[in-house]
């Protein structure tokens, strides 16, 4: 089955999440999710039987994305919560439809083994009036994470040895990536970017109503060399750029639409002049020049760490050399 070897560990974690995990069992605090307040501590939600080890309680399911968002090389632990008595619904290749009371949890970590440090956990809570995004900053003891409405800056070293000032976004900055038509929405768990194995398990367990059409299309990032170059590059742009560069989102005025489903070359930037790139254009005339990545604004901005030039504007402090290499080759192989 596709991705079976790579997903073995995830499948085991998923199976564990479906079983009884503690005596007495622990359950999620649904009032913390659906209520009007902002819980002060991550532990207030009850998502984890072991918070520091990120061991989930029943109804909290670990998952991964085929092609993940780049965040300075951070390891990300992703979970989704389904309130008892509710069911997720498939909606084609797009976002899984999650009912009120659901939650998405994503923890950012750096390091491995004994040296691993949990830095922040971001939660998306589906309430009656829409989704709410809240950031939580982990304490030095690694025992809990506290609400960080104002965000934070943390000095750390990336897996590649780069010293950075890592940014935990403030509550308002969450909307810069999660904003669509003036509302906060999830951006990660689209069916096209989720493993078919995981989705099938969710259906078999009754958590998801049916297998989504168009699921599991984006290539597995660590196996991208075995995928088509077009698929790898388009997947990267869809995940890392399209949540802003699409109609109705924060960078819609750029005229770029980098979503996976977009097929218009001009909308993707091919032969398109920038609308308002300013110095971010680097003196280049077109977003993408077929056959010439060195003349393309897209790769120029991806390759820059300079504020005001770098793309994406938030969410990273370093250049993603692997992603840049894929996009450069993709442009380079286009027919001029």
């Amino acid at each position: 089955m596709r991705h079976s070897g790579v997903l073995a560990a995830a499948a085991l974690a998923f199976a564990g999440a479906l079983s009884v995990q503690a005596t007495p069992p622990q359950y999620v605090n649904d009032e913390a999710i659906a209520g009007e307040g902002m819980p002060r501590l991550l532990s207030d939600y009850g998502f984890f039987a072991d918070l520091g080890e990120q061991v989930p309680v029943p109804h909290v399911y670990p998952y991964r994305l085929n092609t993940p968002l780049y965040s300075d090389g951070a390891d990300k632990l992703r979970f989704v919560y389904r309130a008892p008595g509710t069911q997720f619904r498939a909606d084609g290749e797009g976002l899984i439809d999650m009912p009120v009371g659901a939650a998405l949890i994503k923890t950012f970590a750096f390091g491995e083994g004994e040296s691993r440090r949990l830095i922040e956990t971001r939660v998306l809570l589906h309430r009656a009036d829409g989704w709410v995004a809240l950031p939580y900053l982990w304490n030095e003891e690694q025992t809990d994470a506290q609400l960080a409405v104002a965000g934070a800056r943390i000095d750390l070293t990336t897996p590649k040895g780069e010293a950075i000032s890592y940014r935990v976004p403030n509550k308002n900055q969450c909307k810069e990536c999660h904003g669509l038509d003036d509302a906060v929405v999830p951006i990660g768990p689209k069916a096209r970017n989720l493993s078919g194995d995981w989705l099938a398990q969710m259906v078999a367990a009754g958590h998801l109503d049916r297998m989504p059409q168009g699921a599991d299309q984006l290539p597995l990032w660590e196996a991208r060399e075995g995928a088509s170059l077009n698929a790898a590059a388009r997947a990267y742009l869809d995940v890392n750029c399209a949540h802003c560069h699409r109609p109705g989102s924060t960078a819609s005025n750029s005229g770029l639409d980098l979503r996976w489903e977009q097929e218009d070359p001009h909308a993707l930037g091919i032969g398109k002049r920038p609308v308002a790139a300013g110095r971010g254009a680097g003196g280049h005339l077109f977003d993408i020049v077929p056959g010439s990545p060195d003349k393309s604004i897209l790769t120029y901005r991806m390759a820059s760490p300079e504020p005001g030039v770098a793309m994406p504007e938030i969410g990273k402090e370093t250049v993603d050399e692997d992603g840049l290499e894929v996009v450069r080759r993709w442009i380079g192989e286009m027919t001029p």
Side-chain angles (χ1 to χ4, degrees), residues 14 18 61-62 80 82 86-92 96-97 191 194-213 215:
F14 178 85
L18 298 181
Y61 313 110
V80 59
R82 176 188 63 85
T86 68
Q87 189 179 44
F88 297 151
R89 298 189 179 279
D91 187 17
I96 300 297
D97 183 10
L194 291 168
S195 159
D197 295 338
W198 185 86
L199 289 165
Q201 290 181 54
M202 291 291 282
V203 173
H207 309 316
L208 178 63
D209 65 338
R210 65 187 185 280
M211 191 70 179
Q213 291 185 344

Side-chain angles (χ1 to χ4, degrees), residues 216-237:
D216 205 1
Q217 296 183 64
L218 273 61
L220 200 64
W221 183 245
E222 59 266 35
R224 60 190 176 278
E225 295 303 325
S228 75
L229 180 58
N230 182 68
R234 288 295 309 278
Y236 184 86
L237 295 174

Side-chain angles (χ1 to χ4, degrees), residues 7 15 96 100 102 126 153 155 161 166 203 211 226 255 276 293:
L7 292 166
I96 300 297
V100 171
H126 197 184
R153 282 282 188 175
D155 293 332
Y166 178 89
V203 173
M211 191 70 179

Side-chain angles (χ1 to χ4, degrees), residues 119-137:
I119 304 300
E120 61 162 323
T121 296
R122 303 176 189 176
V123 300
L124 276 172
L125 313 173
H126 197 184
R127 294 177 169 174
D129 57 353
W131 288 88
V132 176
L134 297 175
Y136 288 81
L137 178 64

